[in-house]
Amino acid sequence: TNKDIKALLVKSAKSGMFIAGADIKEIDGIKEREDGIKKSAEGQEILNELEDLPFPTVALINGAALGGGLELALACQYRFATFHPKVRMGLPEVKLGILPGFGGTWRLPRLIGLGKGLEMILQGKVVDGNRALRMGLIDGLAPDGLIDQTVRDFLTKHKFQKRRAITKRKKKILMRILEDTPFGRMLVKAKAKKMVLAQTRGLYPAPLAALDVIMDNYASTRPKALQREAQAFGGLVLGNISKNLIQVFYLLERYKKEKWTEAQGRPIDSAAVLGAGVMGGGIAQLLSHHNVSVRMKDIDPKAILIGLKSAWKLFQSLVKKRRLNSGEANARMSRISATLDYSGFRLADIVIEAVIEKMDIKKSVFKELDQWTRPDAILATNTSALSLDEIAGVLKDPERAVGMHFFNPVHRMPLVEVVRAERTSDTAVATIVDLSRKLGKTPIVVKNGPGFLINRILLPFLNEAGYLTAEGQSFEWIDEVLLDFGMPMGAFILMDEIGLDVGYKVAKILEDCFGPRMAVAPILKSMCDEGFLGKKGGRGFYIHDKKKRKPNPDIERLCSNGHEHMLSEHVIERTIYVMINEAGRCLEEGICREASDVDIGMIMGTGFPPFRGGLLRYADQCGIPNIVRKLKDLEKNVNENRFKPSDYILNLEKNNKKFYS
């Protein structure tokens, strides 16, 4: 009502942060549907008042504007962002099993278009300032120190226009047909639904609910649209899937900051990678992308060429996605140099070894590193299963040896397993933890042991799938059951991706250490003997070509691959319960500290379905007594070694406890 106000600027005093969104604890605390609807409606009412002010309103976005933060910005007439590297905008609510509840389903698609709005909301997509400007989400970008003046100049140029409706975008004729006609919107919805089902198999209700709300809201009045949105929010927020995803969110936030040791890590400015090829090239690219100079060594010039090509391809992919320009890509690629000897290794603060997975070769190169590196340089191995104590034993100072296990592909997988040997120093652990976070990864620290944590739990899952084929179950059908459970890949698809030779080698290491309960399924050896090594060779359980993956018909002579299927739930019990059982042994042996280490590791290292809350939270929901009963039944009727319940899980049952107290 103040007639003297010419414009309102909404800004944050916190560097790198506009508004991160609503309080997740408050969302988690909603226990009644009506309470969820009420909270959504209250937020909507506040933003409606902002939207209805009679003078221009401008959001000055200087960092993260997520969820309710972006919804507030959308209620302003204009949005400007700074060039701050932390500027990110998005509505990621579907990742918590809900949908935007403060008007986002109505305002965002009307501002940037139905197609782009659906993409951002249904995928929880977050964009930077440049992308936001291109898509019309913001009206301008400016340096931090000039943002206020830029906005004042903008408003002066526009003569402090009175409050107006969302700007009408110029649309090409096809977009007008798709967005502004009932028939066009029907086609858009059908395509979006197909995409959601392909990505989620219908296991996540939030994207489908959001799709219905967005499509109904697009041609709706604001009051009806917001009422529809609040009703849907109230229904989703009570679901187990939302509660599980919120618990996973808490885990992710915790492990971003987890203090694994009191020691201070050393800064890493220069690194060396020993062993090139695809893996070494991927590690080198990741380091150079995050401002670390890298010296990459191999004894084979062809391997160096493959490593450099791999790094270059990854940088070109970032250019194509417009996350880097060509100049930036060239500058970062120039941080990688290559060598056939150890020249330059004395400059390295850390050496990451990624040579072939053979103990004698690992020990040999670590002996050489002892001579060619500074005494204070940290020596990290990327081994996925071999004993770190044995590798470190060849060093004069074993305290500087540590495991830094990247998962493949390096640029995509968010987990790093930091392995502590018996004599690894706290400083070495802290340095690898800090470096992992600098590289955008989430580290977990585990104790040295065969397969460490993730592979030790994952291999029984893959192995059991192999045993099921010996009983006449179709490998394609087993994969479908596991996909329907929520795994990102079926067991046999995953084996092809890893490489059957690599998987068999790790499985054999575990069998040698643990005996009959880890006995390798015969089909895995048969595949290697036949030369079916998976995706890298074009043929594994599946034939891999550029167009489509299809079953390998040669597999029928290697296993029964019958057409009589056991119940899907039995497949899940056989493959998932063995992982739960092995996780219990890892906790019992102190390989990890607590259940959350297992869950964050399995979600980020293997893609275990987040909507189930993690492997051990899923176990608690199944009921420990039920799991023990089924394991005993399988021990009696299938195999006395593979399914024998661990002492840890038996003690949980005896004491009426869960993995999470």
Side-chain angles (χ1 to χ4, degrees), residues 495-535:
M495 283 189 250
D496 275 7
E497 288 285 336
I498 294 170
L500 272 299
D501 54 339
V502 175
Y504 177 71
K505 195 177 292 182
V506 175
K508 196 68 182 143
I509 290 170
L510 295 180
E511 180 183 15
D512 292 343
C513 293
F514 297 114
R517 73 178 172 84
M518 288 280 199
V520 182
I523 183 66
L524 301 185
K525 184 176 188 306
S526 300
M527 294 291 288
C528 292
D529 291 343
E530 291 284 334
F532 297 145
L533 302 184
K535 190 175 182 180

Side-chain angles (χ1 to χ4, degrees), residues 24 34 82 89 91 95 98-99 163 227 242 340 344 417 466 553 660:
I24 305 299
E34 290 305 315
T82 71
M89 288 165 258
L91 298 177
K95 295 182 178 179
I98 54 178
L99 49 67
R163 183 74 213 187
Q227 184 180 27
S242 176
L340 293 170
E417 218 173 9
Y660 287 89

Side-chain angles (χ1 to χ4, degrees), residues 464-524:
E464 198 56 38
Y467 276 112
L468 284 168
T469 63
E471 298 173 25
Q473 304 301 314
S474 160
F475 70 86
E476 305 155 68
W477 178 74
I478 293 168
D479 275 354
E480 282 299 309
V481 171
L482 294 170
L483 288 168
D484 286 340
F485 176 76
M487 299 299 285
M489 293 183 186
F492 299 96
I493 300 171
L494 180 56
M495 283 189 250
D496 275 7
E497 288 285 336
I498 294 170
L500 272 299
D501 54 339
V502 175
Y504 177 71
K505 195 177 292 182
V506 175
K508 196 68 182 143
I509 290 170
L510 295 180
E511 180 183 15
D512 292 343
C513 293
F514 297 114
R517 73 178 172 84
M518 288 280 199
V520 182
I523 183 66
L524 301 185

